[in-house]
Amino acid sequence: MNSAPSAIAVRSVSKSFGRGDAMVRVLSDVSVEIGVREFFTLLGPSGCGKTTLLRLIAGFEELDSGDILIDGVRVDHLPPFRRPVNTVFQSYALFPHLTVAQNVAFALELQDLPRAEVRRRAGEALEMVRMGALAARKPAELSGGQQQRVALARALAPRPKVLLLDEPLSALDLKLRKEMQIELKQLQAEAGITFVFVTHDQEEALTLSDRIAVMQGGRILQLGTPREIYERPAHRFVADFIGEINLLEGQVSGHGKVRLDCGAEISAGAGQAAGARVTVAIRPERARLVRGGVLQAEVTHVAYLGTATIMQLRLADGGPFLLRAAADDLPAIGGRVQVDLPSDALQVFAA
Amino acid sequence: MNLRRLPLTREIGLGVLVYLYVPVVVLIVYSFNANRTATVWTEFSLDWYRKILANPSIREATWNSLVLAAAAGIGSTLLALAAALGTKTRFRGRGLVEAVLNAPLILPEVVVAVATLMLFVAIGVELGMAAMIPAHIAFCIPFAFLPIKARLDGMNPSLEEAAQDLYANRLITFRRVTLPLLWPGILAGFTLAFVTSLDDFLTSFFLSGPGSTTLPVYIFSAIRAGITPEINAISTIMLIVSVALVVTSFLFGRMRR
Ligand SMILES: Nc1ncnc2c1ncn2[C@@H]1O[C@H](COP(=O)(O)OP(=O)(O)OP(=O)(O)O)[C@@H](O)[C@H]1O
Ligand SMILES: [Mg+2]
């Protein structure tokens, strides 16, 4: 480890809401270190505690236990307005009674900067998100995408060390979302700011992030680069949540052998006790159509995508199997095929 | 189901309108009547308006009413604003607090007025403005409270969080975000309280003293000497002032949205 403090350190943080019988534990013993200038993503299904963790960092909620450091300084007892982070809210939360320019200047005006400097920096921030032309409008006169940009400019204008973004793109349509993803990434690189980004869209997380924390039920299940998370998921849940994957149930039949429920026996599961129930996972693009392959299957659906072909197969026990192959590999629907499962592409999870 | 399509809806609606407004229209019309008998129309005239403007007791009563309404409006709006902000977050007994605040809406006014009179006499508060202002503030609170509360409940809570996130402390957040957003509600609350106080007879009747007669009390005592066109004229002016205030605040509220 280098000696420079991380942009954000979250140490053994727990948080519950409610009291007595109605108490719900939302975060349990969460720890994470986020590096300076990192694009860090909190990814997980609805209700897993992503927003709560973000709000704890911003200071809108109080910790039950643990501590949070920003730039090496403990901030647990500081109110939001004393923390060097800014938030882009999911609902944008633009001030409806102020113009776009006044919204962006809000924090700058509170920093005792000279008037000209406030105007210059607000203008700069608006240019950064290409909203300079609409500076005189009220938020109600903007489209969703434009509001999103203003929210971003407003949070960037005071040059925070860390920007917290709570599903900032979720209200946008697909096309705009893709465009904004690219812009966000460029903006982050240009401004040199640490981003803590919340999403439940795994594709968005994989595209944007330097590192991802996959959360479930108030815990971080796995922390790693998009590649690590995609290729070496540490939990069945992570494997299932990120990208598409085939999950085959089976039982360890002997040393390094698994008998799948569909009947096939494959080499996998070394280190698991014989008789244990396991789940074998393989990505659709890692399985291969090979004559003499270990899985017998029937083709139920073929989708030609131009760059690849996606095949829906049915295994001997009736279970589905997804396979992605080169575009010219087009078997007939109803035809019988054999599938090979390369052992380096397999991942085994205890059930 | 479309209510407007039901048989007779239109006729019943018109009937209700007539029932509600005919007395008021008659009053307004007769305030411009030249004849002294309030029930016989002769010709158009502004005489009664000239007369009431020249009448010192009416001028004094008008002035008293306006001062009282302004004081009651400002006082009750400030208290209602504090109450609305104080009951924003949940706490034990919040429902009870709100019920107590709104109690003047259902308590019989005559009982409260008599009770207040007895209390003030017992502790030696002199009847007059000093007695009427606090009493009016009290019964005007719910009228000021409800619009402010509605506006506050409708406010997106992340706006205040956004302000704090952008380095505004609690006071600055209140001044620059909460207050401007509440402004239409505050104005509506003030107007309602003002008009309610302006219109009040019972409480003022019990608590006014010599020299502090309000317009409704003056009208009541004048009417014992017989219904005169002057009363029609005063009433018309009161009506116009009240309606104008409410309409202005309504338009202003719409403009700010
Ligand atoms: N103020 C609160 N009071 C009570 N429960 C709360 C509160 N805030 C959040 N929760 C609960 O905590 C859990 C986690 O909420 P959180 O908003 O952090 O989820 P999330 O991961 O952001 O979900 P989403 O993707 O839907 O936004 C949820 O079960 C939620 O109901
Ligand atoms: Mg959330």
Side-chain angles (χ1 to χ4, degrees):
Chain A
M1 268 328 276
N2 55 14
S3 54
S6 21
I8 290 187
V10 174
R11 295 187 184 151
S12 306
V13 161
S14 294
K15 174 72 185 170
S16 306
F17 287 110
R19 245 173 285 163
D21 286 346
M23 188 166 97
V24 209
R25 187 138 200 189
V26 174
L27 292 175
S28 318
D29 196 24
V30 169
S31 295
V32 59
E33 304 251 330
I34 299 170
V36 174
R37 297 183 172 213
E38 191 170 17
F39 195 123
F40 189 88
T41 298
L42 298 169
L43 173 67
S46 191
C48 69
K50 309 179 293 288
T51 297
T52 306
L53 183 52
L54 215 61
R55 290 173 58 81
L56 283 166
I57 297 172
F60 301 130
E61 307 281 356
E62 275 181 44
L63 289 170
D64 291 350
S65 61
D67 39 50
I68 292 179
L69 292 83
I70 299 176
D71 232 17
V73 182
R74 274 187 69 165
V75 296
D76 314 5
H77 304 294
L78 294 182
F81 54 89
R82 294 249 171 75
R83 300 191 185 197
V85 298
N86 287 145
T87 307
V88 177
F89 291 82
Q90 181 163 4
S91 58
Y92 308 144
L94 296 177
F95 304 125
H97 58 299
L98 302 181
T99 63
V100 164
Q102 289 168 331
N103 263 280
V104 176
F106 190 92
L108 302 173
E109 281 170 3
L110 299 177
Q111 287 182 328
D112 284 335
L113 296 170
R115 207 166 263 272
E117 177 73 1
V118 168
R119 197 145 350 118
R120 194 179 61 75
R121 280 175 56 177
E124 253 175 41
L126 277 175
E127 282 314 318
M128 217 164 175
V129 296
R130 292 186 277 113
M131 282 293 295
L134 303 181
R137 292 227 189 143
K138 289 278 181 75
E141 299 159 355
L142 301 179
S143 74
Q146 291 168 337
Q147 289 184 30
Q148 204 277 329
R149 283 161 206 254
V150 176
L152 204 59
R154 184 179 71 175
L156 284 170
R159 300 181 189 157
K161 291 180 171 142
V162 178
L163 201 62
L164 309 174
L165 304 101
D166 193 355
E167 308 204 23
L169 308 181
S170 64
L172 308 181
D173 64 49
L174 188 67
K175 186 165 173 297
L176 194 56
R177 191 153 81 223
K178 298 272 181 219
E179 283 173 25
M180 285 303 300
Q181 283 177 3
I182 297 170
E183 284 184 27
L184 262 188
K185 187 77 185 169
Q186 282 173 350
L187 215 63
Q188 190 246 349
E190 268 170 41
I193 295 178
T194 307
F195 270 32
V196 184
F197 185 89
V198 164
T199 182
H200 58 241
D201 179 344
Q202 46 98 11
E203 203 181 317
E204 189 166 282
L206 293 176
T207 323
L208 294 176
S209 319
D210 295 322
R211 276 193 314 153
I212 299 174
V214 183
M215 297 181 64
Q216 189 209 12
R219 293 173 192 281
I220 293 184
L221 287 186
Q222 189 173 3
L223 204 90
T225 63
R227 190 171 183 144
E228 282 163 3
I229 298 231
Y230 186 81
E231 291 182 1
R232 291 196 300 283
H235 291 258
R236 190 200 144 112
F237 174 84
V238 177
D240 200 14
F241 193 72
I242 309 285
E244 283 178 312
I245 200 156
N246 295 295
L247 295 170
L248 305 169
E249 309 299 328
Q251 191 163 21
V252 178
S253 53
H255 183 69
K257 293 268 175 224
V258 173
R259 162 85 50 197
L260 298 176
D261 292 354
C262 63
E265 191 172 53
I266 58 172
S267 301
Q272 304 274 354
R277 294 292 301 173
V278 291
T279 302
V280 177
I282 184 166
R283 299 277 177 201
E285 68 274 15
R286 300 294 301 274
R288 283 184 314 202
L289 280 186
V290 173
R291 207 170 293 280
V294 63
L295 287 186
Q296 306 293 323
E298 181 191 338
V299 181
T300 56
H301 193 81
V302 178
Y304 174 70
L305 299 183
T307 51
T309 305
I310 301 279
M311 274 166 254
Q312 281 273 10
L313 308 179
R314 184 160 54 222
L315 302 178
D317 62 344
F321 192 93
L322 210 60
L323 191 143
R324 191 181 176 99
D328 49 0
D329 243 343
L330 282 179
I333 290 179
R336 301 209 61 87
V337 293
Q338 282 145 14
V339 180
D340 183 40
L341 308 177
S343 51
D344 65 336
L346 295 178
Q347 198 107 24
V348 178
F349 305 111
Chain B
M1 187 168 52
N2 189 344
L3 272 182
R4 259 182 284 182
R5 295 243 178 80
L6 285 180
L8 291 181
T9 320
R10 178 192 297 257
E11 287 73 10
I12 294 174
L14 280 175
V16 170
L17 268 184
V18 169
Y19 167 73
L20 283 175
Y21 289 106
V22 158
V24 177
V25 171
V26 169
L27 178 141
I28 294 175
V29 168
Y30 277 93
S31 72
F32 296 106
N33 185 6
N35 200 305
R36 169 144 277 278
T37 345
T39 47
V40 182
W41 177 266
T42 38
E43 62 173 326
F44 181 85
S45 136
L46 290 175
D47 270 1
W48 307 117
Y49 288 90
R50 262 178 233 122
K51 284 223 171 82
I52 58 171
L53 288 181
N55 181 336
S57 357
I58 292 179
R59 281 169 44 171
E60 192 188 70
T62 308
W63 177 246
N64 286 341
S65 271
L66 289 176
V67 169
L68 178 59
I74 292 170
S76 62
T77 304
L78 287 177
L79 290 174
L81 177 62
L85 292 171
T87 53
K88 193 169 75 163
T89 49
R90 281 172 186 286
F91 58 89
R92 268 182 80 147
R94 180 171 72 159
L96 186 70
V97 170
E98 286 181 15
V100 168
L101 282 169
N102 290 325
L105 289 178
I106 42 167
L107 290 180
E109 194 187 343
V110 64
V111 175
V112 178
V114 170
T116 312
L117 174 65
M118 280 159 49
L119 173 75
F120 282 176
V121 169
I123 62 174
V125 175
E126 200 179 329
L127 295 186
M129 277 295 175
M132 285 193 292
I133 288 175
H136 274 231
I137 287 177
F139 74 73
C140 285
I141 283 177
F143 295 94
F145 179 71
L146 292 174
I148 296 175
K149 177 81 178 157
R151 187 84 193 172
L152 197 61
D153 285 347
M155 206 164 94
N156 177 358
S158 37
L159 290 176
E160 285 178 334
E161 287 181 352
Q164 296 210 9
D165 191 64
L166 296 164
Y167 315 128
N169 62 27
R170 292 210 171 76
L171 186 67
I172 296 176
T173 300
F174 179 73
R175 254 195 14 231
R176 305 207 32 186
V177 176
T178 318
L179 198 57
L181 291 175
L182 281 186
W183 197 236
I186 294 172
L187 200 72
F190 170 78
T191 313
L192 277 178
F194 186 94
V195 170
T196 306
S197 162
L198 197 65
D199 173 57
D200 178 75
F201 168 72
L202 258 177
T203 303
S204 302
F205 181 71
F206 281 98
L207 299 180
S208 57
S212 66
T213 306
T214 64
L215 262 184
V217 174
Y218 175 85
I219 293 174
F220 175 76
S221 46
I223 234 164
R224 302 218 295 208
I227 301 175
T228 64
E230 277 125 319
I231 292 177
N232 289 349
I234 306 171
S235 307
T236 303
I237 292 178
M238 274 185 77
L239 186 75
I240 289 168
V241 169
S242 297
V243 171
L245 269 173
V246 173
V247 168
T248 315
S249 105
F250 175 76
L251 290 180
F252 187 74
R254 271 222 316 216
M255 209 172 66
R256 299 279 304 219
R257 207 149 289 171

